[in-house]
Amino acid sequence: MCRLGFFVRSSVRAWGVFTQVVCYSTGNWVRKFIEENTEICREHLTPEIRLRLLTPRCPFWHGRPDSWPFADPYWAIYWPGGQALSRYLLDNPHVAEMGSVLDLGSGCGATAIAAGMSGASRILANDIDPVAGTAIAMNCELNNMVPFPVLTKNITDTEPEKWSLIVLGDMFYDEELADCLQEWLRQCIHRHGTKVLIGDPGRPQFVGHGIQKQLCRMAEYPLPESTKQENYGLTSCSVWSYEP
């Protein structure tokens, strides 16, 4: 893991309300900052997808956390669960093809982009950070894709919308959040027949959660060496289907 303390996922994140779609631009200077302080990468499980990420070759990787001008940049890291989910969708395009896809905690937007590459007819990315919205739009453009909408407030305490597929990676890192997610996702499945896929590399909070009793493993992937080093030696990541 890099030395910047803000990359440790220790706080609970929330996501956007469906009726409040956020525009991508928080200012041209934000786009310029992202361009100058990230690197275009393919060194991950989905080399078909180009992403602007924070790497050891970027100045802020070894900088002081308080020198970063925005909120914690979770969007600048391609987390293991997101990598596995994206790989799974690219390898199994029928899962998202012609369907509506919600990407919870979208981060860099890679899984939503993978859904688009797989032929999804409607895509929504959901992340609380408006800077993530800008980064996602830029990543879409890198992959010759028209940017899709991004939401930035909590939807897990609202009436579930109808989605064919919901994907979420690396979100079960906090017990309270995990409980909330499990209940909201259960409602989505029971009310709308939504398919839910979860990506996780086997973090203790996920392995020890009660949701384990209602999961079916769909795939497992070895992580690239750089991802292993950045995530405390985790070696593989699985995609799970939530089937309550």
Side-chain angles (χ1 to χ4, degrees):
M1 194 77 165
C2 67
R3 286 165 25 193
L4 290 176
F6 48 55
F7 286 117
V8 179
R9 286 191 154 190
S10 58
S11 60
V12 176
R13 300 174 70 194
W15 306 277
V17 177
F18 181 74
T19 55
Q20 298 183 20
V21 176
V22 176
C23 63
Y24 308 109
S25 177
T26 54
N28 290 333
W29 71 276
V30 176
R31 294 179 66 96
K32 181 175 175 59
F33 182 90
I34 293 173
E35 287 175 352
E36 294 177 347
N37 291 282
T38 58
E39 180 180 23
I40 298 174
C41 298
R42 292 180 182 265
E43 301 166 1
H44 41 68
L45 280 179
T46 56
E48 304 96 317
I49 302 177
R50 303 172 71 206
L51 299 168
R52 291 188 176 276
L53 302 173
L54 193 59
T55 74
R57 295 178 288 274
C58 299
F60 275 102
W61 184 269
H62 301 288
R64 294 182 297 109
D66 59 5
S67 65
W68 185 263
F70 308 114
D72 296 355
Y74 299 112
W75 52 266
I77 298 293
Y78 195 6
W79 301 93
Q83 291 194 41
L85 282 169
S86 301
R87 182 72 268 159
Y88 183 77
L89 292 183
L90 292 174
D91 290 345
N92 302 276
H94 65 278
V95 175
E97 188 176 15
M98 300 305 295
S100 55
V101 180
L102 171 63
D103 184 10
L104 279 176
S106 191
C108 66
T111 305
I113 290 171
M117 290 180 170
S118 300
S121 61
R122 175 177 163 226
I123 301 170
L124 181 67
N126 191 205
D127 197 291
I128 59 168
D129 190 347
V131 179
T134 301
I136 289 170
M138 295 172 71
N139 286 332
C140 286
E141 293 161 5
L142 274 180
N143 293 281
N144 300 313
M145 184 178 295
V146 176
F148 33 76
V150 180
L151 278 70
T152 60
K153 288 189 178 181
N154 185 21
I155 61 172
T156 60
D157 60 359
T158 65
E159 187 73 16
E161 297 283 341
K162 186 174 183 178
W163 296 97
S164 303
L165 175 66
I166 296 176
V167 290
L168 61 159
D170 308 283
M171 300 303 294
F172 284 78
Y173 57 87
D174 174 272
E175 184 176 359
E176 182 180 354
L177 175 58
D179 290 345
C180 179
L181 284 170
Q182 181 180 10
E183 174 57 23
W184 189 78
L185 293 169
R186 185 190 64 79
Q187 292 181 40
C188 293
I189 293 169
H190 287 172
R191 296 183 188 183
H192 302 298
T194 303
K195 184 175 182 61
V196 174
L197 295 177
I198 299 171
D200 194 274
R203 295 187 179 88
Q205 299 92 328
F206 181 66
V207 173
H209 195 270
I211 198 173
Q212 288 290 321
K213 300 176 182 178
Q214 299 171 317
L215 297 177
C216 177
R217 193 198 305 265
M218 306 302 292
E220 184 175 10
Y221 303 97
L223 292 172
E225 190 60 37
S226 59
T227 305
K228 294 178 186 178
Q229 295 174 3
E230 294 164 13
N231 289 272
Y232 303 105
L234 295 170
T235 59
S236 66
C237 191
S238 294
V239 173
W240 304 87
S241 174
Y242 177 35
E243 301 174 0

